[in-house]
Amino acid sequence: MQRICVIGGSRYFGKLLVQRLQAAGHQVTVINRGAAPPPPGVTHLVADRDDETALTAVLGSRTFDVVVDQICYTPVQAAIATRVFRGRTARYVMTSTIEVYDPATAALPAVPYDTLVPEDIVDPATWLVRRDLPWHDAAYLEAHYAEGKRQAEAVFTQDSAFASVRSAHVLGGGVQEFTGRLAHYIERISRGTEIAVHAEVLPTVFIHYEELADLLLWAATATDFTGPVNACSDDPLDVRSLAAVIAAQVGREPVYRTVPAGEAASPFSFDRHYAMSNTRATKLGFSFSRTTDWLPGAVAEALEASAPRAI
């Protein structure tokens, strides 16, 4: 049994992670702002992670074997966490994102279109941190989400016991799926509404929300790697392949509208390349599923969630 603290963990795969940690027999503490209590038996601490004084006070003298940070988006938040948890934990795991590799948001080394991107393309140990930027501004943070994650990783990297899990695009979970991207395609294909795609769409990578919870459990409790690992199922897909799986269950062909390169399109239509490689996590011992195996089930679940309910 380990003492594990989860910051966030109130919805989607974070909520599932808490449940799985508890089921595995670990002593779990959840820190959030109090809107969603954790399951019975989980210690619940209510604090705003942006308030360093309040976070320090609510922790008291508690220490942990592992902290899993689900909701760190900026270098300022990371800096607060490093100060608050210094000396309180032996390991810190941050949930990061595939978007750190988006070449549209940073000057990154070029990779061939047929190359899955390894972790060292974005090395947090060498990334420039700018805490003076307006990270507190919601609009700025939304527009600079990927850079916020890159800089947060860079701050945490100062601690030798830090690891980050860079998640692919997460699907599955029916009504829990808060991005709404799968529902976006189901609705448009079902109604025959046009889907905006680029003329040349490039593949990206996905992960089922349950598999991501499993990987975070593994990263927190079953291994001691440091640095980033990519979390994605095998089998990259482009947007047309994704839509084809949905169309097969909806019973209606997608209607596409082509947009020029560089213009906005529907989610997962990419005219730039940043599909991740999961080689490092695989070599460390995690076994990934294939996107093509779980995607039909995720679509069926989303269809069921969107179906009208009888009164």
Side-chain angles (χ1 to χ4, degrees):
M1 180 187 75
Q2 296 188 56
R3 293 164 298 142
I4 300 176
C5 175
V6 179
I7 305 176
S10 61
R11 60 177 184 163
Y12 206 27
F13 59 84
K15 181 178 180 180
L16 184 58
L17 170 64
V18 170
Q19 294 169 352
R20 294 194 174 182
L21 286 167
Q22 188 180 32
H26 298 294
Q27 182 180 319
V28 185
T29 297
V30 167
I31 300 175
N32 59 33
R33 290 182 292 184
V42 172
T43 300
H44 188 198
L45 303 179
V46 178
D48 185 339
R49 67 156 312 137
D50 295 328
D51 186 333
E52 184 170 350
T53 301
L55 187 56
T56 301
V58 78
L59 283 168
S61 60
R62 291 177 175 87
T63 59
F64 306 98
D65 298 300
V66 187
V67 173
V68 182
D69 194 339
Q70 293 282 86
I71 52 170
C72 187
Y73 303 110
T74 74
V76 175
Q77 291 177 327
I80 290 172
T82 56
R83 291 192 294 268
V84 171
F85 286 96
R86 185 169 291 123
R88 293 182 185 269
T89 185
R91 181 168 175 76
Y92 203 103
V93 179
M94 170 190 160
T95 302
S96 191
T97 173
I98 185 177
E99 293 191 38
V100 302
Y101 299 115
D102 189 349
T105 63
L108 303 175
V111 295
Y113 281 175
D114 59 350
T115 301
L116 298 177
V117 178
E119 288 84 356
D120 59 7
I121 291 296
V122 176
D123 180 0
T126 63
W127 204 262
L128 178 64
V129 174
R130 290 284 309 278
R131 300 181 199 176
D132 58 323
L133 297 174
W135 296 113
H136 62 281
D137 181 83
Y140 181 87
L141 178 55
E142 182 178 1
H144 297 83
Y145 172 77
E147 182 61 18
K149 285 289 191 178
R150 285 187 286 256
Q151 292 194 26
E153 286 192 42
V155 171
F156 281 126
T157 300
Q158 299 167 12
D159 184 343
S160 60
F162 169 69
S164 62
V165 173
R166 294 173 176 170
S167 169
H169 307 291
V170 189
L171 297 178
V175 294
Q176 296 184 61
E177 190 174 59
F178 57 78
T179 67
R181 292 173 179 174
L182 198 54
H184 168 94
Y185 282 100
I186 288 172
E187 179 183 9
R188 277 166 169 70
I189 294 171
S190 298
R191 295 183 176 182
T193 307
E194 288 184 338
I195 299 169
V197 298
H198 297 100
E200 182 185 4
V201 289
L202 298 175
T204 189
V205 285
F206 300 89
I207 191 166
H208 192 271
Y209 84 112
E210 291 185 356
E211 184 166 38
L212 182 53
D214 288 338
L215 190 140
L216 288 165
L217 174 65
W218 167 82
T221 64
T223 183
D224 59 357
F225 74 89
T226 58
V229 295
N230 294 333
C232 58
S233 301
D234 294 329
D235 291 339
L237 296 178
D238 64 33
V239 66
R240 290 178 183 267
S241 300
L242 175 68
V245 174
I246 298 170
Q249 296 193 50
V250 170
R252 188 166 188 172
E253 289 300 310
V255 179
Y256 295 110
R257 174 173 59 86
T258 303
V259 299
E263 288 195 11
S266 293
F268 310 134
S269 179
F270 296 112
D271 57 353
R272 56 200 186 278
H273 174 72
Y274 63 112
M276 300 187 298
S277 166
N278 62 19
T279 299
R280 184 178 188 221
T282 300
K283 288 181 176 178
L284 286 166
F286 190 83
S287 180
F288 288 96
S289 66
R290 302 179 74 87
T291 305
T292 47
D293 288 339
W294 57 257
L295 182 56
V299 171
E301 191 176 34
L303 279 167
E304 182 181 356
S306 65
R309 294 287 185 262
I311 298 177

